[in-house]
């Protein structure tokens, strides 16, 4: 059995971190204990083996992806941070009486709770099975072929999102397959387009999240849906399509 | 932190965000390797690397220059990889594609095969042991830096590394690889 002190000395010897004295102690232990010597030799060979392992090359599209996201981040105005900073700086500049501070804090808390409650109410998550007979009943069969399509092909995700005009409606066909959990996000201008409904084209049991001018379809496996939008103006409105995982965008494109 | 990194962080914080792109160029490969060794999956590792750089950029003003910049980056990368590990449902087989110029095809085959066998053996270790091997052997961090990245006392790093090495040797022998 190799004790703790001997372990530390063998470790240090392997990593070249022993002092002269420690190195002498390590050599003494190894010369008097064959088990310690054998272990040192084995671990030295292991270190040599590990040093021969090549580095794995990252996917060629990774760096452009990261740089694109960084640029997007840079171009996003940090409005929430600036107004909070402004309030905080003003409060720091003019100290408040405790009673005022408490009342102000309480009022801010109530307002924040109302804002959050309102936001959550908008970010509904729906089970598609609940849409049958309601939102889904308004979706007609496509009357024409796709006007424009977007092919998605990126690290484990493939498929097509197409726009099909159908009378007053604009149908969007989603046919995407992914080997991992991702979200397909459709963003649109609410002044030009209004979401009408969704119809599952295959028996996928995933849900739909509806936000303001935004739809999010979770995908893990194959997903096929037909979404309908009503056109609210004469101009054709572009539809932004993104594939996201958490904060990361893996793919983005625009359907016009 | 190297002088270069220090300059880049300072430039970025002073309002030249493009400077941070140099950090991506410099550390993308190293961070990807650490993430890949933990996750054993190219796509998950790539996602973890992307999140790492975005988080680093957002939190650059929280960086503590007491430690080298890439230690801080590794700390974020390890957390992102562990988050990914917790979230994912299943893991795919190893997909190691590495080539080195100047090697014969036979050398390259041996090198890739060795890399795959080491990776398989690493995946048989407990996560705590795998992490110290990755940071210490593949990323060549000091005991102190490994302790910083993993939030462990230096003494624990040393004892864990010792056990991890012994376990890795045993797994390799069991799998027919002579260290």
């Amino acid at each position: 059995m190799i004790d703790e002190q001997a372990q530390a000395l063998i470790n240090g010897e392997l990593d070249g971190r022993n002092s002269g004295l420690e190195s002498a102690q390590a050599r003494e232990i190894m010369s008097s204990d064959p088990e310690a010597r054998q272990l040192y030799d084995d671990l030295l060979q292991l270190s040599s083996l590990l040093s021969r392992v090549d580095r794995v090359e990252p996917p060629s599209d990774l760096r452009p992806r990261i740089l694109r996201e960084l640029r997007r981040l840079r171009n996003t105005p940090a409005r929430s941070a600036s107004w909070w900073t402004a309030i905080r700086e003003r409060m720091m500049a003019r100290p408040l009486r405790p009673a005022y501070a408490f009342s102000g804090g309480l009022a801010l808390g109530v307002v924040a709770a109302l804002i959050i409650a309102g936001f959550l109410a908008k970010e509904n998550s729906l089970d598609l099975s609940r849409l049958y007979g309601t939102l889904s009943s308004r979706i007609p069969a496509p009357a024409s072929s796709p006007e424009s399509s977007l092919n998605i092909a990126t690290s484990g995700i493939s498929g097509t999102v197409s726009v099909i005009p159908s009378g007053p409606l604009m149908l969007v066909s989603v046919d995407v397959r992914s080997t991992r959990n991702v979200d397909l996000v459709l963003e649109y201008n609410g002044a030009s387009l209004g979401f009408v409904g969704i119809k599952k084209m295959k028996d996928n049991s995933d849900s739909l999240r509806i936000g303001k001018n935004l739809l999010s379809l979770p995908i893990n496996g194959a997903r096929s849906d037909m979404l309908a939008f009503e056109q609210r103006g004469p101009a054709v409105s572009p539809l932004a399509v993104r594939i996201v995982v958490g904060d990361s965008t893996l793919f983005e494109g625009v359907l016009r | 932190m190297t002088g270069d990194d220090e300059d880049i962080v300072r430039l970025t914080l002073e309002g030249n965000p493009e400077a941070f792109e140099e950090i991506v160029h410099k550390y993308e490969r190293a961070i990807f390797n650490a993430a890949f060794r933990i996750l054993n999956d190219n796509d998950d590792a790539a996602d973890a690397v992307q999140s790492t750089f975005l988080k680093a950029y957002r939190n650059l003003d929280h960086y503590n220059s007491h430690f080298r910049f890439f230690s801080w980056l590794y700390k974020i990368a390890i957390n992102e990889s562990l988050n990914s590990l917790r979230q994912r449902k299943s893991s795919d087989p190893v997909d190691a594609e590495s080539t080195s110029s100047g090697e014969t095809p036979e050398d390259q085959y041996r090198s890739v095969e060795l890399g795959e066998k080491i990776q398989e053996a690493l995946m048989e270790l407990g996560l705590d042991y795998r992490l110290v091997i990755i940071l210490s052997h593949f990323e060549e961090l000091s005991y102190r830096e490994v302790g910083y990245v993993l939030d462990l006392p230096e003494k624990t790093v040393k004892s864990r590394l010792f056990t991890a090495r012994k376990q890795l040797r045993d797994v390799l022998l069991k799998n027919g690889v002579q260290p």
Side-chain angles (χ1 to χ4, degrees):
Chain A
M1 183 71 186
I2 299 167
D3 65 30
E4 201 173 321
Q5 192 202 354
Q7 287 182 15
L9 288 168
I10 291 174
N11 247 350
E13 201 64 10
L14 286 168
D15 296 325
R17 295 180 200 277
N18 279 343
S19 65
L21 179 64
E22 287 168 334
S23 202
Q25 287 174 329
R27 283 197 298 273
E28 193 180 317
I29 288 170
M30 286 187 277
S31 63
S32 62
D33 182 348
E35 187 192 349
R37 177 80 229 179
Q38 182 62 50
L39 183 63
Y40 172 76
D41 289 343
D42 284 355
L43 298 187
L44 192 62
Q45 283 180 329
L46 176 71
S47 294
S48 161
L49 186 76
L50 293 178
S51 70
R52 296 206 306 269
V53 175
D54 280 342
R55 281 188 175 267
V56 183
E57 286 300 323
S60 57
D61 67 338
L62 178 59
R63 190 177 299 178
R65 231 172 77 186
I66 295 169
L67 296 179
R68 195 176 62 224
E69 282 303 300
L70 279 172
R71 283 164 199 153
R72 181 205 296 275
L73 201 61
R74 288 207 298 264
N75 295 328
T76 306
R79 270 178 297 178
S80 57
S82 57
W83 64 255
W84 169 246
T85 306
I87 290 173
R88 195 174 55 179
E89 282 172 358
R90 178 170 292 192
M91 289 176 79
M92 296 292 281
R94 296 178 60 188
L96 296 173
R97 287 183 187 177
Y100 289 155
F102 176 77
S103 307
L106 190 64
L108 274 174
V110 170
V111 170
L114 289 172
I115 290 170
I116 290 167
F119 176 76
L120 290 177
K122 282 179 183 172
E123 292 287 328
N124 282 331
S125 181
L126 301 179
D127 184 332
L128 287 193
S129 61
R130 286 162 53 194
L131 299 180
Y132 278 113
T134 54
L135 287 170
S136 65
S137 64
R138 296 186 57 186
I139 300 180
S144 59
S145 53
E147 193 174 75
S148 64
S149 294
L150 204 56
N151 289 321
I152 299 169
T154 182
S155 51
I157 305 151
S158 60
T160 310
V161 180
S162 308
V163 168
I164 310 162
S166 186
L169 295 179
M170 183 180 99
L171 301 180
V172 176
S173 161
V174 172
D175 197 356
V176 178
R177 175 181 291 274
S178 170
T179 56
R180 55 196 169 132
N181 282 314
V182 297
D183 285 302
L184 183 135
V185 178
L186 299 173
E187 289 175 89
Y188 52 93
N189 179 352
S192 309
L193 284 178
F195 176 57
V196 173
I198 182 169
K199 188 174 185 178
K200 291 197 294 183
M201 304 308 285
K202 283 184 188 162
D203 189 24
N204 25 281
S205 56
D206 291 320
S207 61
L208 164 73
R209 287 196 307 118
I210 305 175
K212 190 181 178 188
N213 301 337
L214 175 152
L215 300 173
S216 177
L217 305 164
I219 303 176
N220 187 6
R223 175 151 197 162
S224 184
D225 300 281
M226 186 69 78
L227 298 106
F229 295 83
E230 62 180 358
Q231 305 220 24
R232 291 175 173 165
V236 177
S237 176
L239 193 69
V241 180
R242 290 196 294 136
I243 299 278
V244 299
V245 177
D247 288 343
S248 306
T249 299
L250 307 180
F251 171 88
E252 61 182 334
V254 177
L255 275 167
R256 295 180 191 280
Chain B
M1 182 156 85
T2 67
D4 284 351
D5 291 346
E6 197 168 284
D7 289 345
I8 292 167
V9 171
R10 185 177 47 75
L11 276 171
T12 308
L13 290 174
E14 282 176 358
N16 298 290
E18 311 79 34
F20 189 78
E21 294 185 3
E22 184 59 31
I23 293 285
V24 178
H25 289 282
K26 196 168 173 184
Y27 292 117
E28 175 214 13
R29 194 162 176 246
I31 296 293
F32 178 80
N33 269 265
F36 177 80
R37 296 282 172 215
I38 296 169
L39 294 165
N40 198 33
D41 181 278
N42 265 333
D43 290 340
D44 288 350
D47 291 345
V49 173
Q50 180 169 333
S51 301
T52 297
F53 283 111
L54 294 181
K55 281 207 170 155
Y57 178 76
R58 284 196 197 103
N59 296 292
L60 205 55
D61 52 344
H62 295 150
Y63 163 64
N64 172 5
S65 60
H66 192 57
F67 287 90
R68 287 193 288 178
F69 181 74
F70 72 76
S71 303
W72 183 68
L73 211 51
Y74 275 119
K75 196 177 175 75
I76 300 172
I78 297 296
N79 282 330
E80 289 303 305
S81 301
L82 295 181
N83 285 340
S84 174
L85 209 53
R86 286 184 204 110
Q87 282 168 14
R88 83 171 175 210
K89 291 174 182 170
S90 60
S91 61
D92 294 330
V94 181
D95 182 19
E97 293 174 10
S98 58
T99 54
S100 303
S101 57
E103 289 181 341
T104 65
E106 194 179 345
D107 287 340
Q108 285 180 9
Y109 173 76
R110 280 192 192 135
S111 180
V112 170
E113 191 182 41
L114 174 66
E116 288 179 357
K117 286 188 169 164
I118 297 282
Q119 182 64 22
E120 280 169 15
L122 271 179
M123 297 307 289
E124 288 190 44
L125 298 187
L127 185 58
D128 288 345
Y129 296 123
R130 201 187 322 161
L131 288 174
V132 290
I133 291 279
I134 291 165
L135 294 174
S136 179
H137 276 281
F138 293 108
E139 308 307 327
E140 298 177 346
L141 299 192
S142 68
Y143 299 149
R144 181 168 170 265
E145 286 169 332
V146 175
Y148 165 68
V149 171
L150 300 179
D151 284 326
L152 292 173
E154 205 173 312
K155 195 178 173 196
T156 309
V157 172
K158 288 180 188 172
S159 62
R160 197 173 282 183
L161 181 60
F162 187 79
T163 309
R165 282 167 162 162
K166 281 201 299 184
Q167 287 192 4
L168 184 59
R169 174 199 63 175
D170 294 344
V171 172
L172 286 168
L173 283 172
K174 183 194 77 180
N175 293 351
V177 180
Q178 190 71 40

